[in-house]
């Protein structure tokens, strides 16, 4: 049954680049073959690409898992990853999935705090949809990584646990490949309570679209595992009240006591579907009659926390996470299940943040992952490749001299 709770527009500028249309790039792809690595600069990638009021996204932390240098090139050239045909079809599939559980209506937005209020209302209606229907989609979360604000949008959150003995075992074989930790899989497996399924926990799912009809091989799962781990961590931080909204207000420059515009409050209070109107229960179903009561971001944030407590509560967020794979046409291919590995996640994030902070240069792929270069648009001008080729040449010459 389609929820009537999520019936407001999504944020005008979604924070996750995977979900952000980029007409300019789609219309006229720039000549990529002639790219050179950007000139070295003293400022960090964080200062160059994510200076306030911008923030890091989950994608900013997961994309480097494929190749850090490729992401560095992409940011330097485009400010984000160029959108491929697969990403565009993925956006369409996500939009169709979201429309299965949420219904959208336009709301007038006049000011910066209005825009943020709309984002918070979408979180609130998403959490109410979770309680009413057992799942929600495109739930925005905020979190803190090493003191830096990070934003993400979780594809799906639901009460259905993807747990099973076999799936958890598979999850740990994936975890070991992504984060080499020999001998620790059994310990973590034991950490899963047999009662996990009965508890009213929530579980995160990410929906991936693929060009091929097969599941990705294990080496390609690292970014997905990091992504799901960050979603799970941020969701838990939100549920436990461990995330302070001051991070958002300070970063973006928002006054949590500034009142929303009358147009916005009136627009929100006025929304409902034709069916609701016929049934005479518009406000009860949509909950937007509360718009008059919550007129500032500070007040609305308290409602967000109350909705989290009501939807998820003490049982918290499950330790099992899932990636569901669909074809470009939306056909189900299969799923991969992961166990939450906090230690591995934090180790990865710490190392990736060193690059973001400019404490070390971006790295190209490890030699055993050189197959990734075969599909990379920067391969013709990649300095990492040139350096490897120069090293190979020097080795050959040295061998000849000693022969
Ligand atoms: Fe990374 Fe290879 Fe592309 Fe260079 S060519 S940016 S090492 S994937």
């Amino acid at each position: 049954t389609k929820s009537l709770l999520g019936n407001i527009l999504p944020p005008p500028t979604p924070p996750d680049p995977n979900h952000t249309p980029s007409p300019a790039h789609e219309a006229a792809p720039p000549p990529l073959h002639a790219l050179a690595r950007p000139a070295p600069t003293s400022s960090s990638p964080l200062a160059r690409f994510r200076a306030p009021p911008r923030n890091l996204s989950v994608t900013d932390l997961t994309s480097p898992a494929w190749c850090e240098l490729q992401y560095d090139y992409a940011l330097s050239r485009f400010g984000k990853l160029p959108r491929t045909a697969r990403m565009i079809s993925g956006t369409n599939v996500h939009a169709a999935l979201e429309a299965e559980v949420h219904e959208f209506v336009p709301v007038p937005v006049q000011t910066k705090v209005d825009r943020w209020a709309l984002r918070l209302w979408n979180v609130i209606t998403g959490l109410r949809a979770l309680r009413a229907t057992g799942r929600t989609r495109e739930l925005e979360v905020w979190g803190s990584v090493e003191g830096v604000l990070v934003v993400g949008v979780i594809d799906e959150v639901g009460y259905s646990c993807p747990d099973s003995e076999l799936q958890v075992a598979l999850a740990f074989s994936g975890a070991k490949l992504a984060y080499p930790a020999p001998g620790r899989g059994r310990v973590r497996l034991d950490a899963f309570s047999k009662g996990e399924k009965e508890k009213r926990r929530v579980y995160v799912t990410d929906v991936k679209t693929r060009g091929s009809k097969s599941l990705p091989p294990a080496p390609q799962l690292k970014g997905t595992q990091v992504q799901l781990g960050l979603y799970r961590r941020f969701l838990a931080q939100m549920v436990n009240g461990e995330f302070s909204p001051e991070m958002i207000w300070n970063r973006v420059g928002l006054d949590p006591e500034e009142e929303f515009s009358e147009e916005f409050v009136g627009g929100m209070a006025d929304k409902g579907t034709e069916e609701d109107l016929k049934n005479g229960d518009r406000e009860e179903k949509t909950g937007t009659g509360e718009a008059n009561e919550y007129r500032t971001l500070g007040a609305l944030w308290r409602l967000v926390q109350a909705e989290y407590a009501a939807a998820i509560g003490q049982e918290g967020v499950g330790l099992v996470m899932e990636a569901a794979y669909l074809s470009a046409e939306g056909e189900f291919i299969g799923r991969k299940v992961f166990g939450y590995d906090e230690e591995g996640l934090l180790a990865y994030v710490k190392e990736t943040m060193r690059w973001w902070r400019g404490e070390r240069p971006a790295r190209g792929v490890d030699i055993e992952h050189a197959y990734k270069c075969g599909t990379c648009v920067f391969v013709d001008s990649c300095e990492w490749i040139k350096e490897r080729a120069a090293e190979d040449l020097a080795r050959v010459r040295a061998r000849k001299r000693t022969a």
Side-chain angles (χ1 to χ4, degrees):
T1 309
K2 185 183 285 191
S3 160
L4 293 173
L5 301 174
N7 67 341
I8 53 181
L9 279 180
T13 51
D16 191 330
N18 271 342
H19 300 269
T20 309
S22 175
H25 294 151
E26 287 157 28
L32 298 167
H33 60 279
L35 286 178
R37 192 175 186 184
T41 159
S42 56
S43 62
S44 67
L46 206 52
R48 277 184 289 149
F49 309 120
R50 296 294 181 264
R54 298 197 67 186
N55 51 262
L56 284 179
S57 68
V58 168
T59 302
D60 287 331
L61 294 173
T62 57
S63 295
W66 178 258
C67 174
E68 217 170 62
L69 186 54
Q70 188 188 64
Y71 201 53
D72 191 304
Y73 282 138
L75 286 177
S76 305
R77 184 71 175 84
F78 307 115
K80 59 182 164 187
L81 282 176
R83 282 170 61 78
T84 60
R86 186 167 61 78
M87 287 163 80
I88 294 164
S89 71
T91 302
N92 296 336
V93 169
H94 277 87
L97 288 172
E98 190 178 6
E100 285 179 7
V101 296
H102 297 307
E103 187 176 330
F104 299 105
V105 295
V107 175
V109 169
Q110 305 291 321
T111 65
K112 195 154 83 168
V113 288
D114 286 354
R115 276 200 299 280
W116 275 86
L118 193 53
R119 288 168 77 157
L120 296 190
W121 272 115
N122 275 329
V123 170
I124 291 162
T125 51
L127 291 168
R128 289 175 177 174
L130 173 64
R131 282 163 67 194
T133 67
R135 68 176 174 176
T136 189
R137 285 187 172 143
E138 304 295 317
L139 184 71
E140 188 169 15
V141 283
W142 297 270
S144 170
V145 167
E146 303 214 335
V148 178
L149 174 66
V150 181
V151 182
V153 180
I154 307 178
D155 284 343
E156 185 168 319
V157 178
Y159 294 125
S160 295
C161 176
D163 189 1
S164 83
E165 203 72 18
L166 178 63
Q167 282 172 329
V168 172
L170 284 173
F172 278 98
S173 68
K176 275 201 231 171
L177 283 164
Y179 307 117
R184 288 166 50 201
R186 176 56 58 186
V187 176
R188 291 186 191 140
L189 188 57
D190 292 344
F192 285 84
S193 146
K194 288 231 182 293
E196 176 103 345
K197 221 170 198 170
E198 287 98 58
K199 291 182 181 172
R200 200 166 166 79
R201 289 183 172 172
V202 292
Y203 301 88
V204 298
T205 298
D206 193 65
V207 179
K208 303 277 183 203
T209 46
R210 284 182 62 74
S212 75
K213 299 257 166 105
S214 60
L215 289 170
Q220 290 182 18
L221 297 176
K222 181 174 177 178
T224 303
Q225 188 176 14
V226 169
Q227 183 183 15
L228 285 164
L230 286 169
Y231 288 153
R232 194 262 165 211
R233 183 174 170 78
F234 292 169
L235 196 56
Q237 284 178 344
M238 297 290 286
V239 171
N240 299 331
E242 291 167 3
F243 175 77
S244 166
E246 298 300 319
M247 278 195 94
I248 301 177
W249 315 150
N250 294 339
R251 181 89 188 176
V252 184
L254 295 165
D255 177 358
E257 300 309 320
E258 181 183 335
E259 289 219 350
F260 309 140
S261 71
E262 284 305 323
E263 290 87 345
F264 177 76
V265 174
M268 283 294 298
D270 194 31
K271 292 306 168 191
T273 65
E274 286 305 311
E275 192 186 344
D276 297 332
L277 286 168
K278 261 189 257 151
N279 295 339
D281 58 0
R282 178 177 63 182
E283 290 200 356
E284 187 187 333
K285 278 193 173 178
T286 63
T288 50
E290 300 159 300
N292 283 316
E293 196 181 332
Y294 298 95
R295 286 173 165 266
T296 65
L297 289 174
L300 208 47
W301 189 266
R302 287 189 284 280
L303 182 60
V304 168
Q305 286 178 309
E307 292 296 335
Y308 263 113
I312 301 175
Q314 294 303 311
E315 288 86 7
V317 188
L319 295 169
V320 183
M321 312 167 301
E322 180 183 57
Y325 293 88
L326 306 181
S327 70
E329 296 76 38
E331 190 184 313
F332 180 72
I333 298 171
R335 66 185 81 240
K336 292 274 183 185
V337 182
F338 303 85
Y340 179 63
D341 173 8
E342 184 158 278
E343 193 184 330
L345 177 70
L346 295 182
Y348 167 87
V349 163
K350 191 180 172 96
E351 190 54 24
T352 304
M353 285 304 293
R354 288 188 62 229
W355 164 65
W356 271 107
R357 290 201 173 98
E359 293 164 10
R360 63 168 178 80
R363 296 184 189 120
V365 295
D366 292 336
I367 193 71
E368 62 266 32
H369 296 150
Y371 66 89
K372 293 177 181 177
C373 305
T375 55
C376 178
V377 292
F378 304 114
V379 67
D380 290 344
S381 55
C382 174
E383 286 203 349
W384 186 261
I385 298 281
K386 285 181 193 161
E387 284 163 18
R388 297 290 82 76
E391 282 171 13
D392 285 350
L393 193 60
R395 261 197 301 275
V396 169
R397 283 180 177 155
R399 266 203 300 272
K400 275 188 182 165
R401 273 198 300 273
T402 54

